[in-house]
């Protein structure tokens, strides 16, 4: 596979410049050629270090300015294993932070070595690897079930993983982990950041660390502390080899690897923060700022990468190509993706050259592209506004589903009726057509109820408020609006009734997630009811609080069984996972034709959609076959705590309803009595019931 890819002719003119080709180190018969872009620099040096003493500079060589802002040198000193840095000098004035005395990481570094805090060296790696002919799984989007987890936290405590592999790249691909992923029914492992990252000084002062990893040092290097001790001792080449080995083993099992990538900001923080790379190379070009040099921070992290400049946009694009092709990952989830789509005036546009390039680049044609469609700047909330080819985290789905099963029920306990009817919930269940265009379809929506950021599923049903006292910020950090409901007691309780209600609430939330049209994302540990003791912003805890526990009570094993049943039902029933929205009066292949009935088996009236006292719905979805056999399901949703009686709808061609799953069951049932159209069914409070219509 090529180490560097030049720009494709399908990309925008701003990213086409051959001056931006082959940046970083390219190995050849005469050693290596290093190319670094800095549009404002006056001079640049390559500094080469001893292999074992990173304070001993053995050679300093000047780079030549070869045009287009690129500085270049070819030398036999650049060979696999070489530790190096660059020094850059340039003009002083607002926006410029050049200092020829500062050792800087070269932005395209494939490997890093650390001498101490804020003391890094780039390392040349060869990167050769035998993929053994193992292809990417290429899971179709409609069959995708995302599983979001932390690389270290997933395997750190797994008893079936050897201790030497706990919390490592190799540990994630161990057969014990693979067996869990496959038995759970997920298809794609979405990893929190694995690019090399650093912990912010303020966290170190509190004795904490940046556990999640949203503080990137370099866009091309895997995070070395996630490698085994053996690989770390061997060096960056072995770390990269272990990462690729993880990808290959997961691919052999049919599992995809999705990376959560943080291109919106870097670990250099605000002005006065670390000057480790981009700030010292060309601060004005790489970071968004005002004329006086003050940073425009739309990320809340101190800086924002300026994707309106060709060099910064190309850096991101080349990083994506590297991971997708050289490292063979299957997709990306773009953190604060609205930042990447801001133009020279700092306004978001879905036609931003970088966003279009990510979709149009042939080198990225086979990877999944998932945006977190917001940032914290003006006009930063852009859910539904990314173009074709993108899927998006759907926060509207999250909020509506939480409201329906939690905060609405809490409200109804106090006010005798829920605040809203079932219509908004039904829209989310059916694929969020009011958010995503018909051209993009339901697969544009990545549905989630929880994520790494926020309450776990268990905490969502156990706490009314956040409990972040261990974060060192007097409980001020983390979201205040969680749409959670503790069901009568804050946190742990021995009340059997409350615990039973919480368990059913979790089953309702998971059932909704895995039976909705769109792409479901399950947060690791939710299948077992993992808790973080009410902490909804546990980014700074690298401990048992955040690592998955693999010791489970009987009720946790039951919950796991429910998730396994739900992913299997999703896989077996194409009506639950349409590719396109159906259009009235038209035959749309791979869509689901949806019909909606009330508890009496009659077509839903307009008044019923919005009436808060009528929160019972019968949802029938019939597939329009293109690639699979015809399939039809009936889903009953009952959103009040009092039981009700439902009359099953009479539909042409349907002679019976075969029960498949119920959230009312503590354990998923393997069989049940088939029902006929027109039969009356007793439905317990706040529950879901899935049937196959035959």
């Amino acid at each position: 596979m090529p180490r560097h890819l030049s720009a494709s002719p399908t990309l925008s003119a701003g990213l086409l410049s051959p001056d931006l080709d082959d940046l970083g180190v390219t190995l050849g018969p005469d050693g290596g050629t290093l190319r670094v872009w800095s549009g404002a620099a006056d001079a640049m040096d390559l500094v080469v270090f001893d292999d074992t003493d990173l304070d001993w500079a053995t050679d300093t060589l000047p780079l030549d300015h070869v045009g287009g802002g690129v500085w270049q040198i070819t030398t036999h000193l650049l060979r696999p294993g070489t530790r190096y840095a660059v020094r850059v000098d340039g003009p002083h004035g607002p926006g410029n932070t050049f200092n020829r005395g500062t050792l800087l990481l070269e932005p395209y570094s494939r490997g890093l070595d650390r001498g101490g805090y804020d003391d890094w060296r780039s390392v040349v790696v060869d990167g050769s690897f035998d993929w053994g002919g193992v292809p990417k799984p290429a899971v179709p989007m409609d069959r995708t079930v995302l599983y979001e987890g932390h690389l270290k936290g997933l395997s750190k405590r797994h008893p079936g993983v050897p201790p030497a592999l706990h919390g490592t790249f190799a540990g994630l691909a161990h057969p014990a982990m693979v067996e869990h992923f496959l038995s759970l029914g997920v298809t794609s492992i979405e990893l929190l950041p694995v690019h090399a990252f650093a912990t912010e000084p303020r966290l170190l002062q509190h004795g904490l660390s940046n556990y999640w990893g949203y503080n990137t040092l370099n866009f091309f290097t895997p995070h070395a502390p996630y490698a085994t001790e053996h690989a770390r001792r061997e060096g960056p080449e072995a770390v990269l080899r272990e990462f690729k080995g993880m990808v290959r083993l997961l691919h052999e099992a049919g599992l995809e690897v999705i990376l959560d990538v943080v291109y919106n900001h870097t670990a250099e923080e605000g002005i006065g923060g670390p000057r480790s790379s981009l700030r010292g190379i060309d601060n004005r070009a790489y970071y968004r700022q005002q004329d006086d040099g003050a940073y425009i921070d739309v990320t809340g992290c101190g800086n924002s990468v300026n994707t309106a400049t060709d060099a910064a946009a190309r850096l991101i694009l080349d990083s994506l190509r590297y991971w997708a092709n050289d490292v063979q990952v299957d997709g990306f989830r773009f953190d604060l993706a609205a930042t990447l789509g801001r133009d020279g005036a700092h306004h978001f546009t879905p036609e931003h050259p970088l966003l279009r390039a990510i979709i149009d680049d042939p080198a990225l044609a086979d990877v999944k592209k998932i945006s977190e469609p917001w940032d914290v700047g003006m006009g930063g909330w852009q859910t539904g506004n990314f173009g074709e080819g993108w899927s998006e985290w759907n926060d509207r789905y999250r909020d509506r589903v939480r409201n329906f099963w939690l905060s609405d029920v809490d409200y109804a306990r106090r006010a005798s009726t829920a605040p809203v009817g079932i219509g908004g919930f039904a829209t989310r269940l059916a694929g969020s057509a009011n958010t995503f265009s018909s051209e993009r379809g339901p697969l544009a929506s990545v549905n989630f109820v929880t994520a790494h950021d926020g309450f776990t599923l268990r905490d969502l049903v156990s706490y009314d408020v956040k409990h972040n006292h261990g974060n060192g910020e007097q409980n001020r950090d983390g979201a205040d609006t969680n749409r959670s409901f503790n069901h009568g007691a804050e946190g742990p309780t021995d009340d059997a009734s409350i615990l039973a209600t919480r368990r059913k609430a979790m089953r309702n939330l998971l059932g909704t997630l895995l039976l909705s049209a769109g792409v479901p994302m399950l947060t690791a540990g939710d299948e077992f009811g993992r808790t973080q003791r009410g902490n909804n912003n546990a980014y700074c805890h690298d401990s048992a609080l955040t690592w998955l526990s693999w010791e489970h009570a009987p009720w946790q094993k039951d919950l796991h069984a429910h998730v396994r049943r739900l992913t299997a039902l999703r896989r077996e029933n194409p009506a639950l996972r349409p590719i396109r929205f159906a259009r009235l009066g038209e035959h749309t292949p791979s869509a689901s034709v949806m019909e909606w009935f009330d508890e009496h088996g009659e077509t839903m009236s307009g008044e019923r959609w919005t009436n808060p006292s009528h929160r019972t719905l019968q949802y029938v979805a019939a597939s329009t076959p293109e690639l699979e056999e015809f399939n039809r399901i009936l889903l009953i949703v009952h959103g009040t705590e009092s039981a009700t009686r439902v009359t099953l709808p009479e539909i042409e061609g349907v002679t019976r309803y075969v029960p498949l799953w119920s959230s009312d069951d503590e354990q998923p049932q393997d069989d049940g009595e088939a029902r006929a159209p027109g039969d009356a069914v007793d439905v317990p409070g706040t529950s879901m019931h899935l049937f196959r219509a035959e």
Side-chain angles (χ1 to χ4, degrees):
M1 300 240 173
R3 289 181 50 78
H4 296 276
L5 294 165
S6 59
S8 160
T10 65
L11 304 185
S12 73
L15 296 174
L16 265 175
S17 173
D19 292 329
L20 297 176
D21 291 352
D22 298 317
L23 295 176
V25 173
T26 303
L27 296 172
D30 299 322
T33 297
L34 171 65
R35 286 166 54 85
V36 181
W37 184 91
S38 176
D42 292 335
M44 190 177 300
D45 294 331
L46 166 67
V47 185
V48 178
F49 294 87
D50 180 74
D51 289 346
T52 57
D53 186 348
L54 297 185
D55 291 325
W56 180 13
T58 59
D59 292 275
T60 300
L61 304 171
L63 278 71
D64 296 322
H65 188 235
V66 295
V70 174
W71 299 75
Q72 179 173 312
I73 186 173
T74 300
T75 171
H76 69 281
L77 297 174
L78 290 171
R79 61 187 186 279
T82 297
R83 273 68 175 163
Y84 69 101
V86 294
R87 286 182 170 138
V88 185
D89 201 1
H92 298 282
N96 291 320
T97 55
F98 293 107
N99 185 330
R100 197 161 189 168
T102 304
L103 296 169
L104 302 168
L105 289 175
E106 180 264 300
Y108 282 71
S109 305
R110 288 349 189 216
L112 299 182
D113 203 350
R114 184 176 188 176
Y117 175 74
D118 200 22
D119 184 25
W120 300 87
R121 303 291 181 267
S122 299
V123 183
V124 179
V125 299
D126 174 69
S128 58
F129 184 79
D130 181 8
W131 289 98
V134 178
K136 293 184 177 183
V139 179
M141 206 64 180
D142 68 300
R143 289 181 171 269
T144 298
V145 179
L146 298 165
Y147 187 75
E148 188 206 35
H150 188 282
L151 188 286
K152 180 177 182 179
L154 282 165
S155 68
K156 176 65 178 173
R157 304 172 75 188
H158 198 298
V161 175
L165 304 186
H166 279 168
T168 67
F169 298 128
L172 186 76
H174 186 273
M177 294 301 303
V178 169
E179 192 279 331
H180 175 67
F181 300 145
L182 294 178
S183 68
L184 190 60
V186 298
T187 66
S188 309
I189 313 304
E190 182 178 310
L191 296 173
L192 267 64
V194 294
H195 289 173
F197 64 86
T199 290
E200 299 89 332
R202 64 176 180 80
L203 288 177
L204 294 173
Q205 292 169 2
H206 288 289
L208 300 169
S209 64
N210 189 321
Y211 174 65
W212 286 351
Y214 291 89
N215 199 43
T216 308
L217 272 169
N218 173 269
F219 296 148
F220 289 82
T221 307
H223 190 57
Y226 290 161
T228 57
E229 183 180 355
H230 176 74
R232 295 199 305 272
R233 282 201 307 266
E234 284 195 20
E237 192 82 59
V239 170
L240 178 58
R241 189 163 55 246
E242 183 177 317
F243 190 100
K244 291 180 176 180
M246 172 194 75
V247 174
R248 182 178 65 187
L249 287 170
L250 292 174
H251 283 179
E252 286 178 350
L255 294 163
E256 293 184 317
V257 179
I258 311 292
L259 302 187
D260 192 335
V261 286
V262 188
Y263 295 122
N264 57 80
H265 75 281
T266 74
E268 292 184 308
E269 302 185 25
I271 291 292
R275 179 169 46 201
S276 56
S277 186
L278 302 180
R279 176 172 291 146
I281 293 173
D282 196 329
N283 182 60
R284 172 64 79 179
Y286 280 111
Y287 295 117
R288 295 185 181 276
Q289 52 195 275
Q290 298 174 12
D291 292 342
D292 63 359
Y295 275 5
I296 297 172
D297 179 13
V298 298
T299 67
C301 300
N303 66 65
S304 305
V305 173
N306 187 6
T307 55
T309 65
D310 294 340
R314 182 65 178 273
L315 173 67
I316 293 168
L317 189 65
D318 285 344
S319 171
L320 293 169
R321 292 164 153 187
Y322 171 71
W323 291 98
N325 293 281
D326 288 54
V327 192
Q328 288 285 285
V329 303
D330 305 277
F332 304 95
R333 179 267 188 188
F334 294 82
D335 182 64
L336 300 184
T339 300
L340 307 185
R342 290 182 180 270
D343 60 20
H346 316 297
H347 299 141
F348 175 82
T349 170
E351 295 304 316
H352 189 286
L354 176 59
L355 298 185
R356 290 310 321 159
I358 291 169
I359 297 301
D360 296 339
D361 190 346
L364 300 175
D366 66 342
V367 300
K368 293 177 167 68
K369 297 103 173 171
I370 301 168
S371 73
E372 182 184 39
W374 52 78
D375 62 21
V376 300
M378 291 292 292
W381 188 62
Q382 296 293 334
T383 305
N385 293 334
F386 281 67
E388 288 188 58
W390 288 95
S391 294
E392 302 177 35
W393 271 29
N394 188 351
D395 56 321
R396 298 183 185 184
Y397 177 96
R398 174 200 63 199
D399 293 349
R400 177 58 68 181
V401 171
R402 288 186 180 190
N403 280 347
F404 185 81
W405 290 118
L406 300 175
S407 55
D408 287 1
V409 174
D410 178 23
Y411 185 98
R413 282 192 183 184
R414 292 178 281 108
S416 300
T417 184
V420 297
I422 203 169
F425 175 86
T427 299
R428 300 301 163 194
L429 187 69
S432 296
N434 61 343
T435 301
F436 301 100
S437 67
S438 59
E439 291 76 19
R440 297 178 66 192
L443 299 182
S445 178
V446 173
N447 300 329
F448 66 107
V449 175
T450 65
H452 68 275
D453 186 2
F455 280 143
T456 66
L457 180 71
R458 180 173 170 185
D459 290 353
L460 195 63
V461 304
S462 305
Y463 294 89
D464 279 352
V465 296
K466 65 186 181 183
H467 295 266
N468 298 354
H469 305 283
N471 293 4
E473 299 184 48
Q474 292 74 52
N475 206 35
R476 292 192 300 263
D477 64 306
D480 292 313
T481 303
N482 296 284
R483 296 175 167 83
S484 60
F485 180 31
N486 67 21
H487 292 87
E490 186 72 357
T493 180
D494 294 327
D495 188 305
S497 176
I498 291 175
L499 291 173
T501 306
R502 287 176 177 177
R503 292 194 298 272
K504 184 161 66 169
M506 284 190 277
R507 295 193 294 269
N508 283 328
L509 292 164
L510 289 167
T512 303
L513 174 67
L514 291 166
L515 301 179
S516 292
V519 180
M521 185 187 79
L522 180 69
T523 304
D526 279 353
E527 70 270 30
F528 295 123
R530 181 176 75 92
T531 180
Q532 290 177 170
R533 301 199 296 273
N535 192 319
N536 74 351
N537 191 34
Y539 75 102
C540 54
H541 295 280
D542 186 356
S543 68
L545 180 71
T546 50
W547 306 333
L548 265 65
S549 171
W550 296 91
E551 296 180 0
H552 304 128
W555 74 264
Q556 293 177 292
K557 295 177 182 178
D558 292 342
L559 188 66
H560 178 229
H562 274 281
V563 176
R564 293 177 60 176
R565 171 64 62 84
L566 286 164
T567 58
L569 291 171
R570 183 178 185 85
R571 188 166 56 247
E572 295 162 3
N573 291 276
L576 292 169
R577 44 183 173 81
I579 296 173
R580 302 176 183 91
F581 289 127
R583 298 182 180 181
L584 187 64
E586 298 182 18
H587 176 81
T588 305
S590 294
S592 287
V593 176
M594 299 170 183
E595 298 177 84
W596 309 90
F597 302 91
D598 61 19
E599 63 268 37
H600 305 299
E602 299 173 356
T603 299
M604 284 283 285
S605 65
E607 187 273 337
R608 288 276 175 152
W609 284 116
T610 57
N611 190 331
S613 63
H614 291 282
R615 285 165 57 92
T616 306
L617 176 72
Q618 299 192 76
Y619 162 56
V620 175
S623 69
T624 49
E626 181 181 19
L627 306 172
E628 301 176 75
E629 295 297 318
F630 174 75
N631 171 242
R632 180 157 42 194
I633 60 93
L634 164 66
L635 180 64
I636 300 174
V637 178
H638 179 49
T640 61
E641 291 196 288
S642 57
T644 190
R645 176 163 287 190
V646 169
T647 301
L648 300 181
E650 298 188 28
I651 300 172
E652 183 179 354
V654 174
T655 59
R656 66 174 188 161
Y657 295 103
V658 178
L660 301 177
W661 176 79
S662 169
S663 69
D664 193 55
D665 298 328
E666 286 284 355
Q667 299 173 335
Q669 301 302 308
D670 292 328
D671 53 20
E673 180 185 353
R675 301 301 188 104
D679 280 0
V681 177
D682 290 325
V683 175
T686 52
S687 61
M688 303 177 72
H689 307 265
L690 180 69
F691 299 82
R692 185 173 60 249
E694 296 182 346

